[in-house]
Amino acid sequence: WYESSEVLAALRFASSAEMPDVSFMVVNGPRTGSASSGGGPASGLTADGHEFFATRLSPGRGKHNSTAPNPHDATWAMRTELYTEIAQTQSLYAGFASRTALSHRLLKIVPVSLIRDLFMELSAATGFGAGAFTKTELDAVGLDKAGSKDLRTDFLHRLVDLIVGATGNGALPTELPAEKLLSDVILRHRLLRELYRAAAGSVRG
């Protein structure tokens, strides 16, 4: 009950905020992604009624799980701040038919692989950032191996530069530095919203 009250408070706050009209709808086919994010390949049922997935996703795609503790669960104020960010991100992306469901559980984490996946979907739908990354570079963002942190940092840095080029907002590299994006889920939410606006702006342009 306590957490639900915080969620409702954050949703009321977010819904009262004035959001720009940048919605667009694109049909991208059936959802994919991890089961935790609400997507995944078509499922079946075992004899006792449990859901199972008959196929596996390719490595690094739709892999949005994390076991790291969330520092924004530490206090009521920090949790409320995070829930407000979640509500604002969900509200903005509500007009986009993403193949990955942006669930509350997933948006408490916002892994870099999610940012990568949404960039790829928005790019395919609008042309924003098309050709900016090779397939190898995009696939590497979701890998968990030596040097992967540097690859994720480079991806975030270049993505922010793409958004700056599209929006003209020269303050973003200072407000959203790649190194801090890796450690701050609030900043990753803001990056997701800037990404959406940049892609939506490329459609209007």
Side-chain angles (χ1 to χ4, degrees):
W1 177 88
Y2 182 68
E3 182 169 333
S4 298
S5 299
E6 296 175 18
V7 174
L8 289 173
L11 288 172
R12 292 192 189 101
F13 177 85
S15 61
S16 65
E18 187 174 337
M19 301 296 290
D21 183 15
V22 293
S23 296
F24 59 94
M25 182 71 79
V26 178
V27 177
N28 282 328
R31 285 179 173 173
T32 59
S34 65
S36 67
S37 68
S43 62
L45 295 177
T46 63
D48 60 354
H50 287 87
E51 190 176 30
F52 76 97
F53 294 91
T55 59
R56 291 181 176 271
L57 295 172
S58 58
R61 295 301 307 277
K63 186 177 180 181
H64 302 142
N65 295 322
S66 175
T67 57
N70 193 321
H72 286 273
D73 279 335
T75 66
W76 181 90
M78 294 175 70
R79 189 178 298 178
T80 300
E81 180 186 19
L82 177 57
Y83 288 174
T84 299
E85 294 289 332
I86 291 172
Q88 290 180 353
T89 299
Q90 288 177 325
S91 176
L92 190 61
Y93 274 82
F96 178 62
S98 171
R99 299 179 68 184
T100 299
L102 298 180
S103 65
H104 177 87
R105 176 181 176 183
L106 179 60
L107 291 178
K108 283 184 70 175
I109 305 168
V110 190
V112 179
S113 59
L114 172 64
I115 299 172
R116 183 272 316 275
D117 287 356
L118 289 174
F119 163 73
M120 292 174 68
E121 290 188 37
L122 288 166
S123 180
T126 68
F128 171 74
F133 300 95
T134 66
K135 182 180 183 302
T136 300
E137 289 172 334
L138 291 170
D139 287 346
V141 172
L143 298 178
D144 186 13
K145 62 180 184 179
S148 57
K149 179 179 179 180
D150 291 338
L151 294 172
R152 286 192 286 269
T153 301
D154 181 65
F155 167 75
L156 293 170
H157 177 76
R158 291 166 62 188
L159 182 59
V160 170
D161 284 347
L162 276 177
I163 295 171
V164 171
T167 64
N169 186 353
L172 282 184
T174 301
E175 297 172 356
L176 302 175
E179 294 76 13
K180 288 188 177 180
L181 282 167
L182 285 178
S183 60
D184 192 332
V185 66
I186 300 296
L187 293 184
R188 293 197 295 276
H189 269 283
R190 292 172 185 170
L191 176 59
L192 279 181
R193 296 198 295 271
E194 292 294 340
L195 169 61
Y196 184 94
R197 294 184 182 111
S202 70
V203 172
R204 292 198 306 270

